[in-house]
Amino acid sequence: MDTMWLVLIALALGLIVGGGFVALITLALRRGERAATVVNPVVPDGVDQVLEALDSAGIVVDPSNNVLKASPGAFALGLVRDRVLDNQEFIDLALEVRRTGEAVTSDLELALGRFGEATRHLRVRAAPLGSRFILLLAEDHTEARRLDEVRRDFIANISHELKTPIGAIGLLSEALDTAADDPERVKRFASRLATESQRLTRMTAEIIDLSRLQAADALHQPELVRLDRVIAAAVDQNRVPAEATGVGLSLKGGKNLEVYGDEAMLVVAVHNLISNAIHYSPTGAHVGVGVRAVDDVVEIAVTDQGVGIAEEDRDRVFERFYRVDQARSRHTGGTGLGLSIVKHTVQNHGGEVKVWSQLGRGSTFTIRLPRATTPPEDLSTGTARSTP
């Protein structure tokens, strides 16, 4: 065989063998890159910044449900633990997205704590992120659910509470018609009709007050308020009912103490506490109103010598329409809204209201408000607003 042909054959074989080696090396490199991508997956650009900016929970998971990225809200809700998605319902949503390739939305209840006594209501949306990842977004709707339940309960309570005076007025009107020839019965029914009418008027006014207090701008322009004027007005409003029931009233302290707020709202709050104290005190008892300053806090305490409040009722006395003693409250014309108005008024003024009580010895309700030291700042301009 010619030497030239041998050389050409050798070159051809060399090219074939070399090309094979190059192909094998290239294939190995590509497999290595794919393996590295699986081990160290790359999340699309910008996802990190978006998750960090989220107030809600955001999670990015890989095909094995390993958490690649998560927002602080996801850790706060306990959805991520040791970089693993720690909730089966979230895992099921991710699996559904992988199966269908489409985004899904679901409402879930998430147990809080190891005993699961409290729950959070989450609106969760899962969607594909690229070709391999799943993005899970969860918004906490717990507070919205709670407010919706409060609204429904409030409407139901109002409907129930208004039935009593409205029904009584209707029955008494019929009774007056049938007793037209009996002056004594007419006088008795008319007196009861006036009582129920006053109760209905008072309840309507308190419902309006409570609705106004729960508005977002209930206290948008606070003014400098002298507490001695607030206490004096509240005490004066209760002198007649106190004398009618034989309950003594006394006032101590309160000079030169000021807060920022709404004077009329504060008068109503203190009036409600004093009125409650009178209604639940026996004849000959004493109701005291004390005011003092403790550092930068002003305390208004209303103390009675009444029946007291049981321990299981103390946390509920500020609920709307809640009455410790249903029979006595209805007898005295109580609406069950007075303490709820007190609580919302105090909260709108940046304070708190506490109760101490002992059965048979009486109760003390204490309003704690920030003491006025410097003019409040206008939130829109950041400048101090002058006060009269």
Side-chain angles (χ1 to χ4, degrees):
M1 183 178 295
D2 194 337
T3 303
M4 182 177 292
W5 283 107
L6 290 175
V7 171
L8 291 174
I9 293 172
L11 287 172
L13 288 174
L15 289 173
I16 293 172
V17 173
F21 277 116
V22 170
L24 289 174
I25 292 172
T26 302
L27 182 61
L29 289 173
R30 288 179 178 176
R31 287 182 177 178
E33 290 175 355
R34 286 199 295 268
T37 302
V38 172
V39 175
N40 299 304
V42 178
V43 177
D45 292 339
V47 173
D48 289 0
Q49 291 80 357
V50 171
L51 292 180
E52 287 295 331
L54 284 178
D55 289 331
S56 56
I59 305 170
V60 177
V61 296
D62 66 10
S64 300
N65 291 326
N66 295 313
V67 176
L68 307 180
K69 299 292 180 182
S71 70
F75 290 97
L77 290 175
L79 299 174
V80 178
R81 184 173 300 174
D82 296 330
R83 305 204 65 80
V84 175
L85 196 57
D86 191 33
N87 184 280
Q88 186 58 46
E89 293 172 310
F90 277 68
I91 294 174
D92 292 340
L93 286 176
L95 292 175
E96 183 176 352
V97 171
R98 290 194 187 95
R99 181 175 56 84
T100 63
E102 298 179 355
V104 295
T105 303
S106 179
D107 292 320
L108 303 179
E109 287 190 1
L110 180 66
L112 293 179
R114 57 183 301 182
F115 302 109
E117 295 181 354
T119 58
R120 286 192 181 276
H121 300 277
L122 304 179
R123 169 65 61 86
V124 184
R125 182 169 178 81
L129 184 64
S131 60
R132 304 182 59 253
F133 309 126
I134 302 295
L135 174 64
L136 296 157
L137 296 174
E139 293 185 4
D140 190 352
H141 288 185
T142 305
E143 185 65 13
R145 288 280 191 96
R146 186 191 69 80
L147 291 175
D148 188 52
E149 291 173 0
V150 168
R151 179 185 59 80
R152 289 199 304 268
D153 291 344
F154 190 35
I155 294 173
N157 287 334
I158 289 175
S159 302
H160 175 74
E161 294 294 331
L162 290 178
K163 284 180 181 178
T164 301
I166 291 174
I169 289 172
L171 292 173
L172 288 169
S173 300
E174 294 176 4
L176 279 172
D177 186 41
T178 59
D181 298 330
D182 189 342
E184 289 298 324
R185 292 177 64 193
V186 169
K187 184 177 180 180
R188 185 170 68 252
F189 290 148
S191 176
R192 292 178 57 188
L193 185 63
T195 299
E196 291 299 333
S197 176
Q198 291 171 2
R199 182 182 173 198
L200 183 59
T201 301
R202 185 164 51 253
M203 183 180 295
T204 303
E206 290 185 345
I207 290 172
I208 293 172
D209 287 341
L210 189 57
S211 299
R212 183 167 64 92
L213 288 170
Q214 291 178 309
D217 60 346
L219 192 63
H220 62 286
Q221 288 186 339
E223 297 179 349
L224 196 62
V225 178
R226 289 174 49 188
L227 286 183
D228 55 349
R229 293 174 50 178
V230 171
I231 305 302
V235 170
D236 286 342
Q237 291 175 8
N238 285 280
R239 288 199 185 279
V240 172
E243 292 174 358
T245 56
V247 175
L249 272 176
S250 66
L251 170 62
K252 181 179 181 181
K255 294 182 179 180
N256 303 320
L257 295 179
E258 296 174 323
V259 298
Y260 286 110
D262 185 297
E263 182 173 334
M265 292 168 60
L266 291 173
V267 170
V268 170
V270 178
H271 161 77
N272 287 350
L273 290 183
I274 298 174
S275 178
N276 264 19
I278 294 172
H279 285 164
Y280 287 94
S281 294
T283 300
H286 181 81
V287 172
V289 183
V291 187
R292 65 171 184 168
V294 181
D295 297 328
D296 58 348
V297 174
V298 177
E299 295 183 348
I300 306 171
V302 178
T303 303
D304 64 56
Q305 298 171 329
V307 295
I309 305 171
E311 184 176 355
E312 60 270 18
D313 293 319
R314 291 173 200 161
D315 291 337
R316 301 194 60 192
V317 293
F318 296 104
E319 294 179 9
R320 305 177 190 89
F321 300 109
Y322 185 78
R323 300 181 180 92
V324 175
D325 186 340
Q326 296 280 349
R328 179 175 177 83
S329 182
R330 292 188 185 278
H331 175 71
T332 57
T335 63
L337 289 172
L339 291 180
S340 184
I341 289 174
V342 172
K343 183 188 73 172
H344 284 89
T345 298
V346 174
Q347 288 179 344
N348 285 344
H349 284 75
E352 62 178 355
V353 58
K354 295 184 176 181
V355 58
W356 172 93
S357 186
Q358 189 172 352
L359 289 176
R361 296 189 60 183
S363 307
T364 297
F365 287 83
T366 304
I367 293 175
R368 305 181 76 244
L369 299 170
R371 185 177 182 181
T373 53
T374 57
E377 290 188 352
D378 190 314
L379 297 181
S380 62
T381 63
T383 58
R385 182 172 61 251
S386 60
T387 55

